[in-house]
Amino acid sequence: MKTVINNKRLFRDANRAIISGVCAGLAKYLDIDPLWVRVGAIVSMIFLTFPTALAYVLAILLLRYK
């Protein structure tokens, strides 16, 4: 049996943060450009304001800075 260690970790990225680093940290975790995560968050805020705001605040509270 082969053991695979995954060092990927979800965190808030203070170095590339605009507001709190949630989108930058998620982009780093997904290995994509933070611009796309931020655009997705803005579009989500337009159509699903309360759930998106709640998820963002929870992410701020639960994720630590790297």
Side-chain angles (χ1 to χ4, degrees):
M1 179 180 268
K2 195 186 233 187
T3 303
V4 176
I5 298 174
N6 187 355
N7 290 334
K8 288 178 81 172
R9 201 181 88 150
L10 186 57
F11 61 92
R12 294 189 316 180
D13 190 354
N15 297 327
R16 299 186 320 178
I18 290 182
I19 296 176
S20 68
V22 172
C23 290
L26 183 59
K28 178 83 171 172
Y29 181 78
L30 297 173
D31 196 30
I32 59 174
D33 190 347
L35 174 68
W36 296 113
V37 177
R38 291 178 180 129
V39 168
I42 291 168
V43 170
S44 181
M45 273 296 259
I46 292 169
F47 294 106
L48 301 167
T49 305
F50 182 74
T52 304
L54 181 63
Y56 195 84
V57 170
L58 285 174
I60 290 171
L61 296 173
L62 295 176
L63 298 179
R64 298 186 190 276
Y65 281 114
K66 180 176 180 185

